[in-house]
Amino acid sequence: MTKPLYTAILGYLILSNCMACTPNVTEIGEEIDPSITPSSPTLVEAIKVENSWLGLFNAGDTTVKVKPDKDVLPEKPAKAPDLSKIQKEAGKFRLVSVGGALSAGFRDGGLYREGQLTAFPNLIARQMGISFVQSLFSEAEGNGTGYKTVAGTAGPLVKFNMVTNNLGVIQRNGETAYTDFGDKDKVELDQLAFPEIQKGLQFFRYPSDELKYYKYVDRAVSADIKAKYAKPTDWVNDQKADLFIFEFGMDDTYRIVARGAGGLAGGGQLPYYFTPEYELARSLAKKQHKGVILNVPEVLDFPYFNQITAEMVRKSGLNLFVGQDSYDPGLHRLIPTPTTEKVLKGELKPDVRGKVVLTTYDVISGNDFNSEQQMMSPKFYNTYFIGTAAKDTGWPVVDMYSLYKRIQAGGYVTDDRVAVNAAWPKGGNFFSADGVYPTAFGQAVIANEVIKTLNRHYGLDIPLLQTRFFLGK
């Protein structure tokens, strides 16, 4: 065989094999989902370092497609209810929500479009048949800040995967930041709710970098607003609305509990009439604005903080001390931290005295009146702070404290006959993957409680949500 002929035959065979091994255009399209936008490993690592929610107990990363809005929300009621009893001007109605993570739709350890859409104030607005402007992440960046999915429950603590695709996160000025809400210079927001913000609303940005809520504020609030108003309370106080929903205190309580109270105990808190949120509510009520106030559930009861049992600590076999005090299961309650995880996994070695010493950030101490556990309970805040505000404003209170107690005790059934299950991280339907904030179904349950309170107090007939729609969403 001549060399040219041999070369031609060999080239044909190689080309034929390559063509057989190469997928066609359709197959490539099936393998690469254009709706999935990955994030750089550098950005993901920066998020985990800076974000207390997303940086702990990670097993790995994952990708989740952003759901279209039509799969997240039910149809609005066919007929809007009569709101004239609380309406200031015919043909116009504005609802304003003021609060923290719960009102913003934070869940699964993050803020993302699906959670924002199913936030209870937006669900209420839809049942009222009115518009409600939120600082939504775009559909292309629908996974927002990133969030958690449960990765494993084998223990000793629950592990998570972080959703890292289609994020609304960038790096700017040496830290992560959230991409701007595209219409923040064009529209008037109705959802004035920001995860982690302090209940007093005293700062658009906290003087120290300890509190990162300014990232949520910066993406949603225009520079003109921050230049016009000295603090968020002034901004809120200048809003004109027919109805306000107030939800404060849960983020503050979570922040203290998550750090084991930092050794703080006793001292109580100022009477409610000295607090900025009380003055804000009273000022709005004086302007003839109607409103409703949510009190604070018992955060210490949330399943995330109840992962570590006394039996688990006993099995570690370690001679534990909390500061100078010997560990007492009747007085000391370990919370999930990197250190307590090492205790449970047997990775901490005793010191020369045979002791393993925990800090106050790993433990919530005491069960007497002057203890950290008593100090972190919202009972005092609910009774005196929110109770006084309700009395002085004439606004009704949604008893979130009792609602959560009933749900966690078992036996709570929604009006459309769905059993609410507080089990976590598996088997339940109320708590999201983070074990603190509610699922879409949980938000619907809360929305219905607010609607029932509004209907009773103001003589309205706002239809309840069919909570069943939100199961598994």
Side-chain angles (χ1 to χ4, degrees):
M1 182 181 294
T2 64
K3 185 173 182 179
L5 180 59
Y6 174 80
T7 302
I9 294 172
L10 180 61
Y12 172 78
L13 292 173
I14 292 173
L15 180 60
S16 298
N17 286 334
C18 288
M19 290 176 66
C21 294
T22 303
N24 59 38
V25 173
T26 303
E27 290 173 331
I28 292 175
E30 290 172 350
E31 291 177 3
I32 302 173
D33 188 337
S35 70
I36 299 291
T37 304
S39 301
S40 73
T42 302
L43 176 63
V44 171
E45 185 58 31
I47 293 171
K48 292 177 181 178
V49 169
E50 294 180 23
N51 191 305
S52 60
W53 276 104
L54 299 175
L56 291 176
F57 310 118
N58 289 311
D61 300 332
T62 189
T63 58
V64 178
K65 288 185 67 171
V66 178
K67 291 181 183 178
D69 294 354
K70 64 181 180 61
D71 293 342
V72 174
L73 293 168
E75 294 291 330
K76 291 182 179 180
K79 182 181 179 182
D82 180 8
L83 303 176
S84 60
K85 292 182 179 178
I86 58 173
Q87 193 171 23
K88 294 179 179 178
E89 183 179 346
K92 295 181 180 180
F93 194 96
R94 187 181 180 212
L95 168 68
V96 170
S97 165
V98 186
L102 180 66
S103 297
F106 188 98
R107 76 180 204 226
D108 303 314
L111 185 68
Y112 58 106
R113 187 179 179 93
E114 185 179 343
Q116 291 177 296
L117 288 170
T118 54
F120 76 88
N122 188 48
L123 298 181
I124 294 169
R126 291 173 64 84
Q127 295 303 103
M128 297 173 81
I130 61 174
S131 64
F132 187 71
V133 180
Q134 301 175 273
S135 55
L136 295 171
F137 283 98
S138 70
E139 292 184 29
E141 298 175 340
N143 286 335
T145 65
Y147 61 94
K148 296 181 173 187
T149 62
V150 174
T153 60
L157 300 178
V158 176
K159 289 290 188 180
F160 306 95
N161 287 325
M162 177 182 161
V163 176
T164 60
N165 63 292
N166 296 81
L167 303 185
V169 187
I170 58 175
Q171 288 181 296
R172 183 169 58 202
N173 300 326
E175 66 173 1
T176 61
Y178 304 138
T179 54
D180 281 351
F181 169 52
D183 292 333
K184 75 177 186 178
D185 294 315
K186 305 173 186 176
V187 300
E188 185 175 42
L189 284 176
D190 298 321
Q191 189 179 44
L192 313 184
F194 307 98
E196 303 179 43
I197 198 166
Q198 288 184 302
K199 61 182 183 292
L201 297 180
Q202 291 298 285
F203 306 100
F204 283 111
R205 177 166 182 158
Y206 196 69
S208 75
D209 286 340
E210 177 185 3
L211 304 180
K212 301 292 186 181
Y213 65 78
Y214 63 85
K215 295 185 179 185
Y216 301 100
V217 173
D218 287 350
R219 74 168 297 270
V221 181
S222 70
D224 288 344
I225 289 175
K226 286 185 279 189
K228 181 178 180 180
Y229 300 104
K231 51 186 182 290
T233 46
D234 298 336
W235 176 43
V236 175
N237 193 42
D238 207 25
Q239 301 298 310
K240 294 177 175 59
D242 299 272
L243 180 68
F244 283 85
I245 299 176
F246 263 49
E247 176 266 315
F248 286 120
M250 184 167 161
D251 286 14
D252 303 79
T253 307
Y254 164 80
R255 183 167 52 247
I256 297 172
V257 173
R259 54 185 292 168
L264 299 174
Q269 303 183 59
L270 292 173
Y272 195 87
Y273 47 83
F274 287 136
T275 64
E277 65 268 30
Y278 165 76
E279 295 295 346
L280 176 60
R282 191 168 68 168
S283 175
L284 291 170
K286 284 182 178 179
K287 298 175 185 178
Q288 305 304 309
H289 295 308
K290 305 298 183 184
V292 61
I293 307 174
L294 280 66
N295 68 13
V296 183
E298 188 70 79
V299 174
L300 276 169
D301 287 349
F302 292 177
Y304 177 79
F305 294 112
N306 287 277
Q307 297 183 66
I308 303 175
T309 65
E311 178 62 15
M312 292 167 67
V313 177
R314 186 190 67 78
K315 287 183 177 179
S316 73
L318 295 174
N319 184 22
L320 291 181
F321 274 72
V322 181
Q324 300 296 317
D325 300 324
S326 177
Y327 167 76
D328 180 344
L331 296 175
H332 301 127
R333 182 168 161 184
L334 273 62
I335 61 173
T337 69
T339 299
T340 56
E341 183 182 35
K342 290 179 180 178
V343 167
L344 301 177
K345 294 171 72 173
E347 296 177 355
L348 284 184
K349 303 299 181 184
D351 61 19
V352 294
R353 301 166 298 173
K355 300 178 179 179
V356 171
V357 182
L358 302 176
T359 71
T360 54
Y361 294 98
D362 303 311
V363 182
I364 297 172
S365 301
N367 59 7
D368 59 13
F369 179 76
N370 200 41
S371 70
E372 290 175 348
Q373 292 187 33
Q374 288 293 328
M375 184 203 71
M376 286 182 287
S377 173
K379 289 181 180 179
F380 183 84
Y381 184 84
N382 288 341
T383 301
Y384 295 101
F385 296 12
I386 292 180
T388 302
K391 179 180 178 181
D392 289 357
T393 61
W395 295 359
V397 173
V398 180
D399 191 357
M400 297 283 284
Y401 185 91
S402 296
L403 173 65
Y404 273 67
K405 287 287 188 182
R406 290 168 60 197
I407 288 171
Q408 294 192 260
Y412 183 93
V413 179
T414 67
D415 291 83
D416 56 334
R417 309 308 301 166
V418 179
V420 182
N421 190 335
W424 179 86
K426 296 190 298 184
N429 55 26
F430 184 78
F431 286 102
S432 70
D434 58 39
V436 173
Y437 290 97
T439 59
F441 171 75
Q443 287 275 1
V445 171
I446 292 169
N448 276 350
E449 290 297 321
V450 177
I451 289 172
K452 286 187 279 189
T453 300
L454 291 171
N455 286 346
R456 283 194 303 267
H457 188 81
Y458 292 115
L460 304 176
D461 193 25
I462 304 168
L464 297 179
L465 289 150
Q466 292 296 304
T467 62
R468 190 177 302 277
F469 172 88
F470 298 92
L471 289 171
K473 295 189 181 296

